[in-house]
Structures are given as structure tokens and as C-alpha cells.
Amino acid sequence: MILGHTTRKNFSQNPKNDILSGLTVALALVPEAVAFAFVAGVDPLVGLYGAFMMGIVTALFGGRPGMISGATGAMAVVMVHLISKGNEVGQALDAPIENLGLQWLFITLLFVGGIQILAGLFKLGKFVRLIPHPVMMGFVNGLAIVIFLSQLGLFKETVDGEKVFMSGAPLYTMLILIAVTMGIMYGLPKLTKKVPSALTAIIIVAAITIFGKLDVSTVGSFIRDGGGEGLQGSLPTFQDQIFGLFGTLQGHWDTILSTAFVLAAVGLIESLMTLNLVDEITDTRGNGNRECIAQGSANILNGFFGGMGGCAMIGQSIINVDSGGRGRLSGTVAAIALLCFVLFGAPLIEQIPIAALVGVMFMVVIGTFAWSSFRIIRKIPISDAIVLIAVSAITVWKDLAVAVIAGVIISALVFAWKNATMIRARKRMQPDGTKTYEIWGPLFFGSIQTFNTKFDIKNDPKNVEIDFVESRISDHSALEAIFNLVNKYKAEGKSIKLKHLSKDCKVLLRKANPMFDEVIVEDVDDPRYHLAADPERFTKPLSEYKM
């Protein structure tokens, strides 16, 4: 595939920083991909292949240069039920199929990718702009807590076949190495920013453990403790066998499709939220719709070539940006380096102490958490504070998608409630005896009840005029309210006129019922509302517009 002009332009503005930050991200990706593979119940290599394919496709063709994608925990927890159910079906067949759940996952990823590509083609990525700032802060805080909690599992060791938390000398050694890693990452940027502090910290701590011959948990021991055989592997291979397994889905398509929709939604929400966050950090603008298409293409590739799929990773994206990786080269290097670890560097990478990677992630947690939320929590509206706290809690309790959807719903309900109370009606009598109601505020489903209470139909004079110069008819509920109001006045034998409606409001009313032709008053000073998204309206000289 040939890189487009925009892709080439953003490939790298600083090759040194992009390459070094990409290597740092690749090292941090290894335990994450392996851990999430264990969560999903698949082989670590499936997680690593998934991280590679997600990373390379989104780095080259995604909508946000410098953002890192890979296998993620948010999607892994959704996969568990599908994989376990597939394995049960595989064992129950007359000719049992081993790892059928994994094959089902590959098939599901094809649908996930298709859904995400359609979301991009229909430009649904722009709806991430509707996410309020309190939801964004709650997402950041909740995800920081999730990243922190996910690292606690790395403090466990296997004793008599069971996972237990470390104690004694192993624990103290790990805490000291974590502290050294964090100290290097904190202090090195104050001395020089020519080298990524995270990569330097990993190399120094790894050297201490290797040359000091310290008995600590490493990437290799972590994989083996989880039941894996190691990092060493080959290139991903085409999974042609999945096309012969569609027959096993008879009666299980509901599971496949429902899981696909959930995975697609979780992946897009996490990716677009991460894109927004990186936009804020770098003070640039990504393309959400392009990211949707790239995420979908990467998941389809995972389905065909045996990866576990994934989405954008906030922790690794922040590591990359903080290390100076701003171009597409950084994500490309991270993905290729990860594959090289699998093909050639497994013995060396397996010696990296887990403590160094935990220290890096702890610094990511500190940098990700919006500490300012503690300072502003008492200064913002109580509804926003509730949304912020709720999204943080639900992210930890459930998952990111549920948290964001819940936050948006709460914010929307609060917004609707506040606007429902903003409807006003000023009454005045004209010299000819006509009573005029001047309406202020939006007329929509939430404000209908208050709107109806403003009129005294029985006691009003014969001629009534409703002036909408400071109002706007927004939905079908508003149309019904006006329709019912007009009918009530007519039932009382009174004349009613609607004045100062915008052009689109008139179209809506006349389309809803021809009777509105009789009551709408055409006026030269009727308001004209135009959408800012229609650029052709604003390309002519000012003198050419009708005033």
C-alpha cells in the first residue's frame, strides 16, 4: 500500500525521538500484550501478534500520528465468554476441535473490523466531540486507576502452583527496582531530554539485575508462570482453517454478532477517547473517522492472521508522546520492534525485569491522572462533579465503554433538565387588542410541559399571536405541542398566529400538518439559522449577502 501525502508528511518530524520512543513502547508492550492474552485465555503469542498487527496498521494509516494501538484489557475481558463457549462447543462435537474458541475469536474479529470500518465511512467518529469534559476527566482518572490496579498482578509469584503476593526480600527488591526506575524517569529529563527517560530507566535497571545476578521476576518468568512457553515465535500465518468452521456457528451466531458489536464499540470508544487525549497533550488535531477505518482494518487483519485484536492503548500512547514520539515512525518502530522481539530477541527481552516495566507504568499513572480534578471538584457544578466521579468509578468497576456511555447519558439528562426550565413567555397586549406571547428558550421534549403552562386559552382575547423570535422548535414533541395548542385555541373559536419562525421551523411545521399554512405569519425579519458545517454559505463577500 502506498502512503498518502498526509501520511508521508506525518511519518516523522524527528526520527531520533521517534525511533527511541518506539523502542521504549515496544518494551512496555510485551508484558501488557502477554498479560491481556492470559486474561482472554489465549496463548501469549496470539496477544503479541495482535499487538504487532494493530500497531503497524494504525501507525501507518490511522488518524492520529504518535498514538499506539495493541492488545488491550478492555477488549480482552469481552473475549473471555466467547472463547470459553467456543471451547465448550468444540469439545462437545462428535469430532472434537481443539481451541475452537480461539478460531471463533478470529471469525468475530472479521465482523468487528467491518463494523468499525462502517463507523468510519459513515463518519461516526465525529460524535466523540459530544463527550463532555467531565466525562473525559473521569475517563482519564478511571483509566489511570485501572492501569495501576493491573500492575498489582505483577507483584505475585507462583508458590506451590498458586499465585500469591510477594513478601520478604523478593518484594523489597522489586520495590527498590521500581523506585530506581521511577527516580530515573523523574530526574533524567531535568538533566537532558535527548534520550527517552523510560528507555534509559529500563536499560539501567535491566543491567543492574543481569550483571548483579539478582533473582527477580522477569518477562520470561512471567510468561512461564502464566502457562506460556516463551516469546520465541515465527511470523503470523494465514488462518485459512476458519473458513471451514462456519458450520460450527450454527445456533451461535447471536453470540458471535453480539460479541462483535460490543468489541467494536469498546475498541472505538477507547481509541477515540485516547485520540482526544493525545490531541490535547500535543495541541494538534487527529482524524477520528480515519482512525475508525484503520482500527477496523487492523482487526480484520488480526482475524485473518491469528492475532487477538485490540484498540488504542492510552498508557503506551502517553509513554510514546512523553518520550518524544509524535510521528508515525514511532508507532511503526514499536510494532516492528515487537515482532523482532518475537522472531530474534526473545532470549534478551525475557531477561528484562518486570520491576522496570512496572515502574514505567506507575509513572504513566502519575502522568495520566488528572490531579487537578481534586482542586476543581468543589468549583464546578455539582452535576459535573457527579459525572466525573461516576465515570471514574464505573471505568474501574465495569469497563470504559459502559462508563463513557453512562457519563454521556447523565450529562445529556442534566443538560435537558436545565434547558427544560429555560423556556419563558412574556405577555403583552397590542393596540388592536391582540395578545402576544413572546417565547424565549428552546422548545423541545423537555420544555413542553412548562411551555403549555404559559397560555391562558379560555381567558385570552379573540386574537392571539405567538412570537418565536427568541425560541427554536427542536423536535417532534415541540411540533405536537404547537399543533395541540393551535387546536385548543381554534376549539375556543379564537384566531392564533405564529410569528418569527425560522425557515427550517416553517418547513417542519408545514410538513407535519397543512393547517399550519393558515397560522404562520411570513415576516421580513424572520430569523435565519444556518449550520456552520455548510461552508458554501460563507464563501461569498459580505456585501453579497441579503440583509
Side-chain angles (χ1 to χ4, degrees):
M1 193 178 292
I2 300 173
L3 297 178
H5 172 70
T6 304
T7 304
R8 292 196 302 270
K9 178 182 175 182
N10 294 322
F11 194 73
S12 182
Q13 298 173 355
N14 192 325
K16 178 182 75 69
N17 284 352
D18 281 345
I19 292 171
L20 292 176
S21 62
L23 291 173
T24 307
V25 169
L27 291 172
L29 274 171
V30 173
E32 294 278 302
V34 170
F36 295 145
F38 287 147
V39 169
V42 300
D43 188 271
L45 282 175
V46 176
L48 292 167
Y49 289 150
F52 160 69
M53 285 183 277
M54 290 299 305
I56 193 70
V57 173
T58 56
L60 291 174
F61 308 109
R64 172 69 263 176
M67 192 167 78
I68 304 298
S69 295
T72 61
M75 295 188 71
V77 295
V78 179
M79 299 172 183
V80 174
H81 173 68
L82 171 72
I83 293 172
S84 61
K85 186 170 183 177
N87 287 337
E88 290 174 6
V89 172
Q91 294 303 315
L93 294 173
D94 293 335
I97 300 176
E98 189 176 356
N99 290 328
L100 180 62
L102 180 61
Q103 310 303 319
W104 277 17
L105 174 61
F106 297 154
I107 295 171
T108 303
L109 288 175
L110 302 181
F111 291 100
V112 172
I115 294 167
Q116 292 178 327
I117 289 174
L118 288 175
L121 293 176
F122 285 106
K123 302 188 183 303
L124 301 183
K126 63 186 177 184
F127 288 106
V128 75
R129 301 174 197 164
L130 299 178
I131 297 174
H133 191 66
V135 176
M136 190 70 183
M137 290 188 75
F139 150 75
V140 169
N141 290 350
L143 215 52
I145 296 170
V146 169
I147 293 172
F148 173 78
L149 294 176
S150 70
Q151 303 307 303
L152 298 183
L154 301 176
F155 283 83
K156 292 183 177 181
E157 58 183 353
T158 304
V159 178
D160 297 330
E162 292 187 6
K163 286 278 190 179
V164 296
F165 279 101
M166 297 176 179
S167 61
L171 176 61
Y172 298 138
T173 302
M174 186 167 183
L175 290 175
I176 291 171
L177 293 174
I178 290 173
V180 171
T181 303
M182 296 175 71
I184 294 171
M185 289 187 65
Y186 176 77
L188 185 60
K190 298 181 182 299
L191 300 175
T192 178
K193 293 186 178 181
K194 292 184 177 180
V195 291
S197 58
L199 180 60
T200 305
I202 292 172
I203 292 173
I204 291 174
V205 173
I208 292 173
T209 58
I210 293 171
F211 294 111
K213 297 182 179 179
L214 300 179
D215 184 15
V216 295
S217 177
T218 63
V219 171
S221 65
F222 174 72
I223 294 173
R224 287 187 287 273
D225 287 345
E229 297 180 359
L231 278 178
Q232 193 71 47
S234 58
L235 287 170
T237 56
F238 186 70
Q239 305 293 311
D240 56 342
Q241 77 282 355
I242 62 175
F243 298 105
L245 298 175
F246 278 84
T248 65
L249 297 174
Q250 189 72 27
H252 302 288
W253 278 107
D254 56 336
T255 301
I256 296 292
L257 295 178
S258 62
T259 304
F261 274 102
V262 174
L263 286 173
V266 170
L268 288 183
I269 290 173
E270 185 158 359
S271 298
L272 294 174
M273 293 286 280
T274 303
L275 182 146
N276 261 13
L277 181 63
V278 177
D279 281 355
E280 288 186 12
I281 294 173
T282 60
D283 197 25
T284 55
R285 182 79 175 269
N287 186 324
N289 296 317
R290 180 172 177 174
E291 185 63 32
C292 292
I293 295 173
Q295 292 283 336
S297 302
N299 276 311
I300 289 176
L301 194 66
N302 269 278
F304 281 134
F305 286 90
M308 69 177 281
C311 60
M313 307 180 75
I314 185 171
Q316 278 66 23
S317 297
I318 291 177
I319 290 175
N320 188 46
V321 172
D322 287 347
S323 299
R326 302 298 174 92
R328 297 186 183 277
L329 179 61
S330 59
T332 305
V333 168
I336 293 174
L338 186 63
L339 181 63
C340 289
F341 294 162
V342 172
L343 297 178
F344 314 112
L348 181 61
I349 300 303
E350 288 179 5
Q351 295 183 62
I352 294 176
I354 290 293
L357 301 174
V358 171
V360 170
M361 296 310 296
F362 279 175
M363 290 300 290
V364 169
V365 168
I366 294 171
T368 301
F369 195 90
W371 301 100
S372 61
S373 57
F374 291 118
R375 175 173 47 81
I376 67 170
I377 196 75
R378 294 184 180 180
K379 300 178 181 179
I380 60 178
I382 189 168
S383 57
D384 287 344
I386 291 172
V387 169
L388 194 159
I389 295 169
V391 172
S392 300
I394 297 172
T395 299
V396 177
W397 173 48
K398 284 291 187 181
D399 60 57
L400 172 65
V402 173
V404 171
I405 292 171
V408 171
I409 291 173
I410 295 171
S411 297
L413 290 175
V414 170
F415 176 81
W417 177 258
K418 287 181 178 178
N419 278 272
T421 62
M422 290 175 62
I423 197 80
R424 296 285 186 272
R426 188 173 73 178
K427 304 158 188 150
R428 61 185 176 87
M429 295 295 295
Q430 296 189 28
D432 62 358
T434 300
K435 186 175 182 179
T436 298
Y437 289 89
E438 294 179 345
I439 308 299
W440 276 268
L443 188 57
F444 69 112
F445 68 90
S447 59
I448 296 305
Q449 187 173 358
T450 306
F451 172 76
N452 288 331
T453 63
K454 303 298 181 183
F455 301 92
D456 187 3
I457 299 172
K458 290 188 179 295
N459 298 319
D460 277 346
K462 285 288 185 181
N463 296 316
V464 176
E465 185 178 83
I466 305 177
D467 192 338
F468 289 92
V469 69
E470 295 293 340
S471 182
R472 185 172 176 82
I473 299 169
S474 303
D475 60 9
H476 180 253
S477 297
L479 292 175
E480 283 296 313
I482 295 174
F483 178 73
N484 292 332
L485 185 65
V486 169
N487 280 337
K488 287 177 182 178
Y489 272 108
K490 286 192 171 185
E492 293 289 330
K494 297 176 181 180
S495 171
I496 182 170
K497 297 296 181 183
L498 307 180
K499 187 178 179 183
H500 285 146
L501 289 165
S502 64
K503 183 178 179 181
D504 56 338
C505 290
K506 292 175 186 175
V507 170
L508 279 174
L509 288 170
R510 285 167 173 153
K511 183 185 283 188
N513 198 312
M515 67 165 258
F516 283 115
D517 281 326
E518 305 172 12
V519 299
I520 292 175
V521 176
E522 297 288 350
D523 207 320
V524 292
D525 59 346
D526 283 343
R528 293 172 175 83
Y529 301 108
H530 299 305
L531 296 177
D534 187 357
E536 293 184 2
R537 291 188 183 274
F538 306 102
T539 54
K540 298 184 294 185
L542 186 61
S543 59
E544 294 185 24
Y545 288 102
K546 293 181 179 180
M547 296 296 184

